[in-house]
């Protein structure tokens, strides 16, 4: 068990107290973080009392300590999963050698780039979601939003710790830059496109947490395999928090489906216009949102054929999620059959790892779809929700800019342009979804377009006042 000194400014299990240089760097950065949080974090709710989970240590009791706090007073800490004794590199050309406790000089800039790219997504998502509190469907949902926001803030801390502790002056500069870029900013946008997309309604939030936080899970899992042990341990602990973000997405969409089915039964039709008139999200519109966020998130895995991912794997920097499930951990002798617009291509396996990861991600995405489709089937309706093809609407890799429909079929450019509005939300669809977003803050009450959750947080009732607004 790791102990925490509550008197410390920054709760941690990295022995900050004995490392003066690091402590000074982090204490210097902290006021900038708080400034960023107040300016770019959840708008208008900084004085609310929120029932939040805080990590105070990494053991079973401490990682989820519940209590009421005002968000700016949240104890953003630095926690690494416990060190595994004699951990060895689990893949790549240096497999079997001891893992690294320091950054090898030859991998310094690549590792820094990997950490900065991951770190950039964390505050980006807080910025994307900052206005959602004004249209929350319930106090329960509002609390979940804020829980995700403070944890993404902690994930930023986790990456900044690595930059400060292992990358000297460039690390400190990168840490400042993480607060200087902003989601959607014309001059200084966030690094990855998906994290510059606005999230202005709760249906988008649920899709984002379902698809984009799940990309986060896959990235963290592959970095958790890293031979750079502090990175591995940091990511392993972040994964425990990430699970809740995906839970919010999966149950959020499930509750939308449930409410829509209730309305469809009440009015005796699945006619989208009538479902909308009755104040629910019609399933075809939900499908468009799924198509949008899934395809956007698929780009985050990078190009199908990538020499960077090959080098990162061969050098032991970034593995495959759950590396131990595979037989071959070196991959110098295997190949992968890839479909590109030019036809099937045989690619060295090392160069195909982004695609391998994308495929296992899509399998993971199917789980929720099955659950929602069972709900629809049980209600006696024939529509089924689906995931778009990984070729649809890609902006990176072999399929970038190709006119492909959600089933993966190639069309003419004209057909594609004409039909795109049937596949992803149009302005009118977004306007309709926005029109549903009315703030509900009476404890236990839900907006009309979403069903209540099955249970509350930490065994509390759904009616609990999770956010006290004053
Ligand atoms: Fe995160
Ligand atoms: Fe997350």
């Amino acid at each position: 068990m790791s102990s925490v000194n509550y008197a410390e400014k920054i709760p941690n299990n990295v022995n900050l107290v004995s490392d003066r240089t690091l402590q000074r760097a982090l204490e210097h950065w902290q006021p900038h973080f708080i400034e960023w949080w107040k300016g770019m974090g959840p708008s208008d709710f900084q004085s609310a009392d929120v029932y939040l989970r805080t990590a105070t240590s990494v053991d079973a009791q401490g990682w989820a300590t519940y209590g009421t706090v005002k968000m700016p007073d949240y104890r953003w800490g630095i926690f690494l999963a416990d060190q595994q004794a004699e951990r060895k590199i689990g893949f790549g050309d240096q497999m079997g050698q001891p893992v690294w406790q320091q950054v090898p000089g030859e991998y310094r800039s690549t590792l820094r780039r990997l950490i900065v790219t991951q770190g950039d997504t964390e505050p980006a998502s807080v910025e994307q979601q900052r206005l959602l509190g004004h249209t929350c469907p319930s106090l329960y949902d509002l609390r979940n939003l804020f829980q995700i926001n403070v944890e993404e803030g902690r994930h930023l801390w986790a990456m900044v710790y690595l930059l400060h502790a292992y990358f000297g002056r460039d690390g400190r500069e990168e840490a400042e830059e993480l607060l200087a870029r902003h989601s959607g900013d014309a001059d200084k946008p966030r690094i990855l496109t998906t994290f510059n997309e606005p999230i202005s309604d709760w249906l988008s939030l649920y899709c984002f947490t379902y698809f984009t936080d799940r990309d986060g899970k896959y990235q963290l899992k592959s970095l958790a395999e890293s031979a750079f042990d502090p990175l591995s341990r940091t990511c392993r602990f972040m994964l425990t928090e990430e699970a809740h973000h995906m839970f919010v997405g999966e149950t959020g969409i499930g509750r939308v489906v449930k409410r829509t089915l209730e309305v469809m039964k009440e009015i005796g039709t699945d006619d989208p216009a009538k479902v909308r008139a009755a104040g629910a999200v019609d399933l075809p519109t939900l499908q468009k949102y799924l198509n949008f966020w899934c395809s956007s998130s698929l780009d985050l895995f990078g190009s199908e054929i990538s020499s960077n991912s090959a080098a990162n794997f061969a050098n032991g920097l970034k593995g495959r999620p759950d590396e131990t499930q595979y037989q071959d951990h070196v991959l110098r002798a295997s190949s992968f059959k890839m479909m590109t617009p030019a036809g099937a291509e045989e690619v060295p396996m090392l160069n195909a790892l982004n695609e391998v990861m994308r495929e296992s991600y899509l399998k993971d995405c199917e789980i929720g779809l099955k659950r929602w489709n069972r709900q629809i089937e049980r209600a006696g309706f024939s529509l089924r929700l689906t995931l778009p093809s990984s070729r649809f609407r890609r902006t990176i890799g072999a399929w970038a800019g190709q006119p492909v429909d959600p089933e993966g079929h190639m069309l003419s450019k004209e057909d594609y342009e004409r039909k795109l509005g049937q596949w992803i939300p149009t302005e009118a669809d977004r306007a309709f979804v926005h029109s549903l977003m009315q703030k509900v803050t009476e404890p236990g009450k839900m907006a009309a377009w979403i069903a209540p959750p099955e249970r509350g947080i930490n065994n509390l009732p759904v009616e609990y006042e999770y956010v006290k607004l004053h």
Side-chain angles (χ1 to χ4, degrees):
M1 178 176 163
S2 329
S3 65
V4 171
N5 177 359
Y6 278 88
E8 277 175 34
K9 228 175 168 182
I10 304 164
N12 70 90
N13 69 348
V14 296
N15 210 8
L16 209 49
V17 83
S18 70
D19 188 339
R20 287 282 163 204
T21 317
L22 175 62
Q23 199 177 8
R24 265 201 302 276
L26 286 165
E27 285 185 358
H28 176 78
W29 186 79
Q30 189 179 45
H32 301 173
F33 170 81
I34 295 292
E35 215 173 285
W36 167 81
W37 177 270
K38 288 185 174 166
M40 300 303 291
S43 136
D44 267 11
F45 293 90
Q46 304 293 345
S47 65
D49 287 311
V50 190
Y51 185 73
L52 291 175
R53 165 176 97 176
T54 306
T56 58
S57 65
V58 295
D59 55 90
Q61 288 91 42
W63 86 270
T65 308
Y66 287 88
T68 298
V69 287
K70 297 190 199 311
M71 286 186 280
D73 301 333
Y74 189 78
R75 290 158 43 78
W76 284 284
I78 298 164
F79 294 102
L80 277 60
D82 286 330
Q83 190 156 15
Q84 289 168 8
E86 294 181 37
R87 183 173 166 246
K88 300 279 190 293
I89 300 175
F91 61 94
D93 296 340
Q94 300 168 71
M95 177 154 171
Q97 293 177 24
V99 293
W100 319 315
Q101 298 307 330
Q102 290 297 329
V103 179
E106 66 268 43
Y107 305 137
R108 191 181 165 86
S109 64
T110 312
L111 273 171
R112 194 182 57 215
R113 190 73 197 153
L114 286 172
I115 291 165
V116 166
T117 306
Q118 178 63 41
D120 194 66
T121 66
E122 316 286 357
S125 67
V126 176
E127 294 167 352
Q128 285 172 290
Q129 298 164 16
R130 67 184 301 263
L131 296 176
L132 286 174
H134 298 290
T135 55
C136 64
S138 72
L139 286 183
Y140 164 90
D141 288 282
L142 186 62
R143 178 267 168 201
N144 281 345
L145 169 70
F146 293 158
Q147 181 70 59
I148 292 171
N149 291 162
V150 293
E151 282 175 352
E152 301 304 10
R154 206 199 66 74
H155 292 177
L156 171 62
W157 271 91
M159 293 296 121
V160 164
Y161 157 72
L162 292 173
L163 291 170
H164 279 178
Y166 297 96
F167 294 88
R169 178 206 269 267
D170 338 343
R172 291 195 293 277
E173 283 169 10
E174 292 283 13
E176 294 294 331
E177 285 297 300
L178 285 169
L179 297 175
R181 285 183 292 270
H182 297 309
S183 180
D185 192 297
D187 300 324
K188 270 187 162 252
R190 291 294 175 182
I191 296 170
L192 302 166
T193 310
T194 312
F195 293 90
N196 288 301
E197 302 278 8
I199 303 179
S200 49
D201 62 76
W202 283 73
L203 191 57
S204 295
L205 175 74
Y206 298 135
C207 291
F208 181 91
T209 46
Y210 188 78
F211 289 109
T212 314
D213 281 275
R214 192 177 309 273
D215 161 73
K217 167 184 162 180
Y218 273 73
Q219 301 301 337
L220 292 177
K221 269 176 170 284
S222 61
L223 293 173
E225 302 290 338
S226 181
F228 179 42
D229 203 42
L231 175 61
S232 161
R233 292 171 57 205
T234 303
C235 291
R236 261 187 284 143
F237 185 62
M238 288 161 76
L239 280 163
T240 57
E241 293 165 323
E242 207 57 51
H244 175 257
H245 310 178
M246 286 174 291
F247 163 86
V248 168
E250 179 170 345
T251 55
I253 296 172
R255 288 161 57 209
V256 172
V257 171
K258 186 175 177 202
R259 180 62 196 141
T260 298
L261 292 170
E262 285 168 6
V263 167
M264 281 157 64
K265 278 187 168 172
E266 274 162 32
I267 62 176
T269 174
D270 60 0
D271 178 351
K274 290 186 174 140
V275 173
R276 282 186 176 201
V281 179
D282 56 296
L283 295 179
T285 296
L286 171 59
Q287 178 66 63
K288 288 183 179 184
Y289 274 73
L290 298 178
N291 288 344
F292 179 89
W293 285 105
C294 183
S295 55
S296 178
S297 302
L298 285 169
D299 267 348
L300 295 170
F301 291 92
S303 295
E304 281 77 1
I305 303 170
S306 164
S307 53
N308 280 347
S309 74
N312 289 345
F313 187 90
N315 294 334
L317 309 184
K318 188 175 175 185
R320 288 166 293 186
D322 303 306
E323 185 61 43
T324 49
Q325 70 173 320
Y326 297 95
Q327 299 270 307
D328 178 358
H329 301 290
V330 181
L331 303 179
R332 286 284 176 194
S334 54
S335 63
F336 184 91
K337 199 170 161 194
M338 184 108 62
M339 282 306 291
T340 69
E345 218 178 296
E346 195 85 8
V347 179
M349 182 60 94
L350 272 179
N351 293 73
L353 292 178
N354 287 345
E355 191 59 12
V356 170
M357 207 154 129
R358 188 162 21 236
E359 281 182 1
S360 64
Y361 165 81
L362 277 171
K363 250 189 225 148
D364 206 49
C365 289
E366 287 285 355
I367 296 168
L369 271 284
K370 280 197 190 118
R371 206 160 288 162
W372 307 324
N373 281 332
R374 264 203 305 277
Q375 285 176 256
I376 300 171
E377 192 180 351
R378 266 192 259 119
F381 294 97
S382 57
L383 184 144
R384 294 293 175 264
L385 298 168
T386 55
L387 292 176
S389 158
S390 62
R391 302 168 193 176
F392 174 63
R393 221 175 67 89
R394 292 290 304 284
T395 66
I396 286 175
W399 295 91
Q402 296 289 333
V404 176
D405 71 13
E407 281 82 52
H409 304 125
M410 200 75 117
L411 315 170
S412 71
K413 261 236 144 32
E414 299 72 52
D415 263 4
Y416 175 81
E417 307 270 305
R418 197 162 41 79
K419 290 183 174 164
L420 194 58
Q422 300 170 24
W423 301 324
I424 59 169
T426 59
E427 281 309 311
D429 294 326
R430 290 189 188 277
F432 165 69
V433 170
H434 283 180
S435 76
L436 295 178
M437 302 292 131
Q438 307 291 339
K439 182 166 160 185
V440 177
T441 54
E442 197 182 317
K445 283 269 177 309
M446 297 290 140
W449 55 272
I450 190 164
E454 275 169 32
R455 58 189 70 82
I457 305 298
N458 193 31
N459 295 320
L460 291 172
V462 173
E463 300 75 37
Y464 184 77
E465 195 176 357
Y466 290 102
V467 182
K468 293 193 175 72
L469 298 166
H470 307 297

